[in-house]
Structures are given as structure tokens and as C-alpha cells.
């Protein structure tokens, strides 16, 4: 997994709440047997009007908006457990998603793919979304070590929570699977008691 | 202090605790399917490691399979490759696969309980959010992402922080024509789609005690639709009678031993929950959804409430509905009866008992998709096939089908579909499709009337 420490970037606003993983990547694009290329279909049915024509009203098609931070409404990533949603977001180039609330499974999937989900207050989120609406060039700074998300022009500096173990994993690019494999002895001992 | 059902099962499966971090939770059964497993198998191959416990892993093909002519080669090349990849991976790593054509094949959350793979007190995971279904047995069951599928392959464990506990109690007696689907749609409409995030739910009270296992599965299945990772119901005589003598259920002395343990699982009287909700069964009416998340639900004969925010405004626009409008009388051209929520034999019995001697309206395409090969066989055995056929319903072979529209079973753009599935998200049943979630009874009635109609 790629390491994550700090990021300074423009951001893409998506002021919609309850964005479910079917919107992030519709089921008909889940037929691949690898993790490559899902970014091309990220938010497919909002991004395109039909098979070929892009929707000019959708934020990803607005050339003013760029950057590796996605700022979205509450309850982001609800619904299906498909990790393809996290793969699509990462493949498109986002490294951070900021929202006031994340669905559990998506949050775990994001962290397992080097994407940092940052939960901030609804007030701060609304202020950032409003700012982005008027000023697409607004810069957001994220410091994982300090657990801080800063928007200088708004005088916003929010602390965010992250599980200390997951923070360690992100900073060091360490996977859960490696950690679990290092616990084989404890797991085998547990199995002896239950099998 | 007393322990909850969830505490008891969770604590019995904790291998170790990471300081300041998650716990290592041991998994008793890992269910896999073709869509969320290939990348996990690839990770094992990349790392050159074996699958830790093939005896605790069971595979089926369900999400991406055709529901017609399953004996033929799958036409769609990508779907065929995904299903073939599952077969190859299962052969290579030694996993039991109930693939297409096998009498045990079916939607993972239908076939596992009916085979007795799902048992009380277990921990179960699957790369599918509706794994919460198995909580009906007093099981800790939850959906995981593909990275976690690989972790379970490699270690038989997941890393997880213990969720908070919530109890939802529904006491009283349900009104006529109100079933399990109405109960869970009502709860989600009352609490909202994120009320359960960070929690594991226990459903308690008369309504769930009186419910069949099929009904309990319908309720627990939709726990994820209010954000809860899972939902559980205390195992009781209904549970034990359902599990007993099923193919993979414990037998003989092993059964007696397990049964004695299962009886210790219900929450202690003095157990406390982080959050409690109480509802009165008498307030629950037959339900239907009108928006693009399962929380946007109301009584069948109610008027669409005022949109609470921009997202709900957008949802009504997508659905082509207006605030204050009634759904009664709305013409409906598509009815889907299936999915891991409502495709068990009890659901089809309810449908058959309503439509017997009736015929679907001319404008309606009514699709019946049994949850498993065993359900299909049972439908045949009980003579329901004839009832469905005479009513003009189309019966397919088992799979997830039009619930998520991964295969060719899709609802056309702008068409309404009254569906017994679990999600009414934009485009869930096909690009532009408009889904109205309801019970099998309401779906059957809609098919016959050709429009949404009141039961009274």
C-alpha cells in the first residue's frame, strides 16, 4: 500500500448526502477480475448522459475543479460493500475524501487502499463546500501525523480522529494482511481451543 | 454487568487485541462469490500464500449469473470470465463451490442458511453487505471488502474495532397484511439510513419472537440499510427447529452440545445497550419506498412527505414524484420478486396464496427469481409453479438478478419497478430505473392490479 503523510491540494466538491457505492461505481462495472481501471467509471451515471456523452453539469466534468481531495456530503459510501468503490476513487486520483460522516464498510475499504477518509463537523463541511463553490482554487492541507485538516483562507483548522493502528498503517504503507500473517501463532493457539 | 447476545458471540471469537487498535476476530464461516473474490485470490497468489481454512470457506456463484438457461455457456464474456475465475480459484485453493448447475447453488444468503451452514453463535463474513442476513440465527455476520476477504483467506481473521450496541424492540401484534419487510422498512424510515452506523443491532420483542426464520432473515438482511454492520435476533426454539437436521447442521451428540451452548446466548436480563429504540407493532402499516434510499419509505396509502434536504429533492426528481402526492393508483409496468431479502419459500408461498386464481395485469412484466436451486425445487414440489404460470408470472433460475442488475435482468430507464429487494438507489436495477421497495404481498398485488393499490 502507498504511504500517506501530508497532502496539499485543490478539492472537488460533491455536496450530496447519502452517496451510495452504487453511484460511486455501478454494479455493471464490477465484472473485472483485477483492480485496474475502475476510475474511468467513477460516478459513471452522474458523469455521463449516455454511453459516450459527458454530463457538463457534473463536477468531475468541470475543468475548474481538480485535485486529489474529494469533499462530499454526509453518509458517504453507504450501501454495498464493494471495494471497487474505493478502487475507483483511488484510480481516479483521489487520496483523501472529506465528509461529515462515512459509512462503516466504505471507510474500512478506503483505509485498506491508502485513501484517507477525514470526518469533520457538518458546519466545517458546509463552509468548505460553500467556499469551493465560489472559489474552485481553494487549497486544503491535510497532515495525517498531526491529524489536522486546514483551510487557511477560511481560518478552518479541524482535528480529525483516526484509529492509531490504521494511522500507523497509512504512514508506513503497511497492510492488515501482513499484520495478521505476523499473528499466525496466536491464531493457531486460538484454533486449538475451538476446533 | 450482564452481557448482550452480541457481546457473548464477539468475546468468544477475540484472538487478540491490538494495543490502541482493533481486535483480531476469528471467523467461523467465510462465504464467497464470484464478484468480490477474484482480487483476493490474486493477492494470495501474489504473496505466495495458501488459503488458511478451506474447511471454513464456502463458495457459490450468484451476483453475476444469468437466470435463464443456466446449463448453457454464459453469453456475456466478462460475466463468464468472472464465474470461470471463481471455479478455477476454488479448484486451485481447494474451496467447496456450489456453482451453476449444482443443486445447492443460490444467493449466498439464501443457500447458506438452508443448508445449515449458518448456525447460532458463529462469526460469519462475506464480501457482500447483506451478510447481515445470517444474524437472524444469533450469529455475528457482516459484510467485508475484498481486502478483508484476502485477510480471511490468509488468516481466518479480520481486524475490527468492536461496534457499539443498539437494541430495537418492537412489541405488540402486527396488523393484517403487515409482514417482516414492512417492519424493517418502517424501522429504517423512522430511524434513517445512517442511524445504525458504528452499531450492531439486536432486534427484540414480541414481533421478532413470533416471526419465522425466513422473516427474521428479511429483517436482519436490511440492517445495513440503516448503516448497521449487522443485526441479530436471539436464537430460540424457532431457530433450533429450523437448523436441526439440515445438511451441515451438527448431528447426534454434537447437536446436543451445541444446542446447550446456543441456549446460553440470548442477552442477559441486566445487559445494557449503548442505544435503545422502541416501536409499537400497531403503528406499522404495509410500506413502500418513494425515494432513492431505503429510508425514504412510508405507509402504502400515505402521501409523499416534504423533502428534508437537497438530496431528497434530487431523489424525488429522479423518481418523477412530487411532495404531497399519493402513490396509490400509480401504473407500474415491472414487478420483481426475488433477492436475498425476499426469495425464500415463505415469500413465494405468500405470493402464490395471493395470486392463486388471479392473473397479472396486461401492462406488467412480473419476474419471480427464487433465491436458490432448493427454493426452485420446493416451488415446483408445492405446485406453486403452476399458480405463477397461470397468473402470467415469469419464473427464472436462482441468482441475485434484477436486485442489482449485474446480469441482463435490468429494469429499463424511467420505468417503475415494485421490487422485493433491498435497495432503491439511483440506477440500482439498471441505468435510469426507478425502484419502489415493498413486501412480496404488495409486489404480487401490484402485478395483478397493474398499479399501486391499497390492501383495504
Amino acid at each position: 500500500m502507498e504511504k500517506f503523510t501530508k497532502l496539499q491540494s485543490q478539492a472537488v466538491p460533491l455536496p450530496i448526502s447519502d452517496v451510495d457505492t452504487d453511484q460511486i461505481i455501478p454494479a455493471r462495472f464490477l465484472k473485472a477480475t483485477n483492480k485496474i481501471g475502475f476510475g474511468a467509471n467513477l460516478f459513471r451515471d452522474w458523469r455521463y448522459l449516455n454511453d459516450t456523452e459527458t454530463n457538463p453539469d457534473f463536477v468531475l466534468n468541470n475543468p475548474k475543479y481538480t485535485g486529489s481531495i474529494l469533499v462530499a456530503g454526509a453518509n458517504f459510501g453507504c450501501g454495498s460493500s464493494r471495494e471497487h468503490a474505493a478502487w475507483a476513487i483511488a484510480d481516479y486520483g483521489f487520496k483523501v475524501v472529506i465528509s461529515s460522516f462515512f459509512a462503516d464498510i466504505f471507510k474500512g475499504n478506503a483505509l485498506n487502499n491508502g485513501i484517507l477518509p477525514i470526518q469533520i463537523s457538518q458546519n466545517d463541511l458546509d463552509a468548505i463546500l460553500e467556499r469551493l463553490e465560489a472559489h474552485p482554487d481553494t487549497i486544503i492541507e491535510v497532515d495525517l501525523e498531526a491529524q489536522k485538516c486546514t483551510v487557511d483562507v477560511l481560518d478552518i483548522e479541524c482535528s480529525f480522529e483516526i484509529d492509531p493502528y490504521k494511522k500507523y498503517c497509512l504512514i508506513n504503507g503497511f497492510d492488515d494482511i501482513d499484520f495478521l500473517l505476523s499473528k499466525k501463532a496466536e491464531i493457531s493457539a486460538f484454533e486449538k481451543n475451538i476446533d | 454487568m450482564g452481557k448482550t447476545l452480541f457481546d457473548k458471540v464477539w468475546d468468544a471469537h477475540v484472538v487478540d487485541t491490538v494495543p490502541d487498535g482493533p481486535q483480531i476476530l476469528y471467523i467461523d464461516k467465510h462465504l464467497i462469490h464470484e464478484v468480490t473474490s477474484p482480487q483476493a485470490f490474486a493477492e494470495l497468489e501474489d504473496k505466495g500464500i495458501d488459503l488458511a481454512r478451506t474447511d471454513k470457506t464456502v463458495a457459490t456463484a450468484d451476483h453475476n449469473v444469468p437466470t435463464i438457461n443456466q446449463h448453457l455457456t454464459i453469453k456475456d464474456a466478462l460475466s463468464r470470465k468472472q464465474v470461470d475465475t471463481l471455479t478455477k480459484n476454488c479448484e486451485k485453493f481447494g474451496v467447496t463451490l456450489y456453482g451453476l448447475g449444482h443443486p445447492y447453488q443460490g444467493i449466498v444468503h439464501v443457500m447458506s442458511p438452508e443448508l445449515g451452514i449458518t448456525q447460532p453463535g458463529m462469526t460469519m463474513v462475506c464480501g457482500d453487505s447483506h451478510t447481515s442476513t445470517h444474524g437472524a440465527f444469533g450469529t455475528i455476520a457482516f459484510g467485508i471488502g475484498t481486502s478483508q476477504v484476502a485477510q480471511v483467506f490468509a488468516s481466518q481473521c479480520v481486524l475490527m474495532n468492536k461496534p457499539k450496541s443498539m437494541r430495537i424492540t418492537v412489541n405488540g401484534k402486527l396488523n393484517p397484511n403487515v409482514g417482516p419487510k414492512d417492519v424493517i422498512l418502517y424501522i429504517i424510515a423512522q430511524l434513517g439510513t445512517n442511524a445504525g452506523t458504528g452499531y450492531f443491532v439486536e432486534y427484540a420483542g414480541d414481533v421478532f419472537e413470533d416471526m419465522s426464520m425466513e422473516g427474521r432473515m428479511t429483517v436482519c438482511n436490511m440492517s445495513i440499510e440503516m448503516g448497521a454492520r449487522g443485526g441479530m435476533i436471539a436464537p430460540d426454539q424457532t431457530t433450533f427447529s429450523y437448523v436441526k437436521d439440515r445438511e451441515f447442521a451438527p448431528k447426534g451428540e454434537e447437536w446436543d452440545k451445541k444446542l446447550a451452548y446456543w441456549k446460553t446466548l440470548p442477552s442477559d436480563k441486566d445487559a445494557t445497550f449503548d442505544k435503545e429504540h422502541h416501536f409499537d407493532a400497531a403503528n406499522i402499516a404495509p410500506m413502500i419506498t418513494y425515494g432513492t434510499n431505503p429510508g425514504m419509505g412510508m405507509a402504502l396509502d400515505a402521501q409523499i412527505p416534504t423533502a428534508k434536504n437537497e438530496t431528497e429533492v434530487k431523489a424525488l426528481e429522479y423518481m418523477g414524484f412530487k411532495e404531497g402526492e399519493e402513490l396509490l393508483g400509480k401504473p407500474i409496468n415491472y414487478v420483481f420478486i426475488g433477492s436475498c431479502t425476499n426469495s425464500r419459500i415463505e415469500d413465494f408461498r405468500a405470493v402464490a396464496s395471493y395470486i392463486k386464481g388471479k392473473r397479472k395485469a396486461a401492462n406488467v412484466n412480473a419476474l419471480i427469481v427464487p433465491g436458490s436451486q432448493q427454493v426452485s425445487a420446493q416451488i415446483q414440489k408445492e405446485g406453486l409453479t403452476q399458480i405463477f404460470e397461470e397468473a402470467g408470472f415469469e419464473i427464472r433460475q436462482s441468482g441475485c438478478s434484477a436486485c442489482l442488475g449485474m446480469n441482463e435482468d435490468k429494469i429499463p430507464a424511467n420505468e417503475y419497478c415494485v421490487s422485493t429487494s433491498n435497495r432503491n438507489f439511483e440506477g440500482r436495477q439498471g441505468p435510469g430505473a426507478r425502484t419502489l421497495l415493498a413486501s412480496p404481498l404488495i409486489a404480487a398485488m401490484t402485478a395483478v392490479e397493474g398499479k399501486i393499490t391499497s390492501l383495504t
Side-chain angles (χ1 to χ4, degrees):
Chain A
M1 197 169 75
E2 234 177 276
K3 294 178 184 179
F4 186 102
T5 47
K6 281 184 184 173
L7 179 71
Q8 205 177 35
S9 169
Q10 277 177 247
V12 177
L14 188 66
I16 300 169
S17 55
D18 298 310
V19 173
D20 58 78
T21 53
D22 271 80
Q23 305 317 313
I24 299 174
I25 183 92
R28 63 188 188 280
F29 300 112
L30 307 186
K31 297 183 182 186
T33 50
N34 56 37
K35 299 182 186 178
I36 303 158
F38 286 102
N41 293 311
L42 174 68
F43 296 119
R44 174 76 201 200
D45 293 339
W46 287 346
R47 212 165 133 195
Y48 287 83
L49 293 170
N50 48 46
D51 282 350
T52 50
E53 220 180 329
T54 54
N55 174 6
D57 296 333
F58 188 61
V59 69
L60 290 191
N61 298 322
N62 183 339
K64 285 184 197 159
Y65 290 101
T66 177
S68 44
I69 299 175
L70 178 67
V71 185
N75 200 24
F76 186 80
C78 58
S80 156
S81 61
R82 59 188 70 167
E83 195 160 315
H84 311 66
W87 299 334
I89 286 172
D91 187 53
Y92 186 84
F94 290 118
K95 295 188 185 319
V96 168
V97 184
I98 298 175
S99 177
S100 57
F101 198 86
F102 288 94
D104 273 341
I105 305 181
F106 174 79
K107 192 175 176 180
N109 288 342
L111 287 164
N112 281 334
N113 286 280
I115 302 165
L116 176 63
I118 296 181
Q119 186 169 328
I120 61 175
S121 72
Q122 190 63 46
N123 281 346
D124 284 341
L125 180 73
D126 291 343
I128 294 173
L129 285 170
E130 200 179 311
R131 170 80 201 181
L132 286 171
E133 184 87 12
H135 304 277
D137 56 351
T138 305
I139 297 290
I140 299 179
E141 276 185 72
V142 173
D143 183 342
L144 175 56
E145 186 65 55
Q147 293 178 223
K148 281 203 178 345
C149 171
T150 317
V151 190
D152 279 340
V153 283
L154 287 176
D155 223 9
I156 287 182
E157 187 189 82
C158 19
S159 302
F160 59 88
E161 299 282 322
I162 181 168
D163 181 273
Y165 164 79
K166 289 313 285 186
K167 180 178 173 180
Y168 171 83
C169 287
L170 273 181
I171 289 175
N172 295 287
F174 198 60
D175 286 336
D176 284 351
I177 195 164
D178 298 324
F179 177 79
L180 285 167
L181 286 168
S182 77
K183 292 283 177 184
K184 273 270 169 187
E186 287 88 339
I187 296 168
S188 297
F190 180 88
E191 283 180 322
K192 283 207 178 74
N193 283 327
I194 59 160
D195 279 348
Chain B
M1 197 181 72
K3 280 180 154 191
T4 64
L5 161 66
F6 177 78
D7 290 335
K8 291 179 192 182
V9 181
W10 178 276
D11 293 351
H13 290 85
V14 175
V15 174
D16 202 357
T17 302
V18 183
D20 290 328
Q23 291 185 298
I24 301 175
L25 189 73
Y26 193 80
I27 300 303
D28 293 322
K29 277 283 179 272
H30 186 193
L31 308 173
I32 64 169
H33 60 84
E34 75 279 19
V35 177
T36 57
S37 68
Q39 295 87 350
F41 278 115
E43 196 167 344
L44 287 190
E45 285 186 329
D46 288 348
K47 289 186 186 287
I49 45 181
D50 281 335
L51 201 149
R53 294 297 298 259
T54 51
D55 58 328
K56 299 190 179 202
T57 314
V58 179
T60 192
D62 58 359
H63 279 65
N64 196 4
V65 300
T67 54
I68 205 161
N69 288 327
Q70 288 184 344
H71 63 291
L72 300 178
T73 308
I74 300 174
K75 277 189 204 151
D76 180 274
L78 288 172
S79 301
R80 186 170 65 241
K81 187 177 175 210
Q82 207 168 43
V83 173
D84 288 349
T85 302
L86 178 70
T87 309
K88 281 184 202 139
N89 280 328
C90 287
E91 275 168 14
K92 185 169 176 187
F93 287 91
V95 174
T96 302
L97 167 67
Y98 302 130
L100 283 187
H102 194 286
Y104 293 167
Q105 181 270 341
I107 303 177
V108 65
H109 312 309
V110 176
M111 71 86 174
S112 171
E114 74 187 3
L115 288 170
I117 295 169
T118 304
Q119 294 164 23
M122 279 184 165
T123 47
M124 296 180 75
V125 291
C126 174
D128 186 282
S129 61
H130 293 112
T131 307
S132 57
T133 309
H134 309 268
F137 293 79
T139 304
I140 291 184
F142 53 91
I144 56 176
T146 298
S147 294
Q148 289 175 301
V149 171
Q151 290 159 26
V152 181
F153 279 167
S155 70
Q156 203 56 35
C157 291
V158 291
L159 279 168
M160 199 165 155
N161 292 299
K162 189 175 178 179
K164 289 181 279 186
S165 61
M166 178 189 289
R167 181 162 58 188
I168 297 175
T169 307
V170 187
N171 278 320
K173 202 169 153 31
L174 291 175
N175 294 310
N177 298 321
V178 172
K181 183 65 164 286
D182 303 301
V183 173
I184 190 63
L185 283 175
Y186 175 83
I187 292 171
I188 300 167
Q190 293 293 312
L191 299 180
T193 50
N194 62 16
T197 307
Y199 291 89
F200 230 84
V201 174
E202 180 175 340
Y203 300 97
D206 311 337
V207 164
F208 305 109
E209 283 166 24
D210 293 345
M211 216 175 252
S212 67
M213 285 315 294
E214 286 85 351
R216 293 177 187 183
M217 284 190 254
T218 299
V219 169
C220 290
N221 172 276
M222 290 191 72
S223 303
I224 185 70
E225 310 312 336
M226 55 180 156
R229 204 67 185 267
M232 304 173 87
I233 292 173
D236 59 8
Q237 198 48 51
T238 305
T239 323
F240 309 143
S241 306
Y242 180 96
V243 176
K244 196 168 172 33
D245 298 327
R246 286 186 186 259
E247 178 83 24
F248 298 107
K251 307 272 160 34
E253 271 181 43
E254 184 63 16
W255 169 265
D256 297 336
K257 211 174 103 189
K258 283 272 165 69
L259 184 64
Y261 170 61
W262 296 343
K263 286 182 173 171
T264 68
L265 291 175
S267 293
D268 296 330
K269 287 220 158 34
D270 57 343
T272 55
F273 291 78
D274 296 310
K275 199 156 221 166
E276 296 248 24
H277 293 285
H278 294 269
F279 297 105
D280 181 351
N283 293 335
I284 308 176
M287 296 286 292
I288 194 157
T289 65
Y290 57 87
T292 58
N293 71 56
M296 297 177 78
M298 62 179 194
L300 186 65
D301 55 6
Q303 291 169 340
I304 294 175
T306 310
K308 290 196 287 284
N309 51 45
E310 274 303 305
T311 301
E312 289 197 359
V313 170
K314 192 170 169 285
L316 291 184
E317 204 174 290
Y318 179 86
M319 293 299 292
F321 294 149
K322 291 187 178 62
E323 295 171 351
E325 190 181 18
E326 277 189 2
L327 290 182
L328 291 181
K330 279 264 169 212
I332 302 289
N333 295 334
Y334 290 83
V335 168
F336 171 64
I337 304 177
S339 88
C340 58
T341 313
N342 285 118
S343 65
R344 298 180 180 83
I345 189 62
E346 185 183 81
D347 299 316
F348 296 115
R349 284 181 192 139
V351 171
S353 105
Y354 177 82
I355 63 173
K356 191 171 185 179
K358 300 188 180 79
R359 196 165 162 81
K360 74 165 184 72
N363 60 309
V364 173
N365 290 283
L367 200 59
I368 293 227
V369 185
S372 70
Q373 301 288 351
Q374 297 214 90
V375 173
S376 288
Q378 191 65 26
I379 285 175
Q380 186 73 35
K381 197 174 146 193
E382 294 184 17
L384 309 186
T385 312
Q386 203 190 341
I387 297 174
F388 296 144
E389 281 173 357
E390 281 174 6
F393 285 55
E394 190 180 348
I395 311 173
R396 295 288 187 88
Q397 290 168 296
S398 69
C400 298
S401 182
C403 170
L404 84 167
M406 252 196 103
N407 68 356
E408 40 292 296
D409 306 344
K410 291 182 176 69
I411 308 305
N414 300 321
E415 286 287 353
Y416 293 109
C417 176
V418 170
S419 174
T420 66
S421 55
N422 40 57
R423 288 188 173 136
N424 50 354
F425 298 152
E426 279 184 33
R428 171 82 178 178
Q429 298 192 289
R434 296 157 159 178
T435 304
L436 294 88
L437 303 175
S439 69
L441 177 62
I442 300 297
M445 194 176 66
T446 306
V448 169
E449 300 294 334
K451 59 185 182 191
I452 298 173
T453 324
S454 174
L455 277 157
T456 46

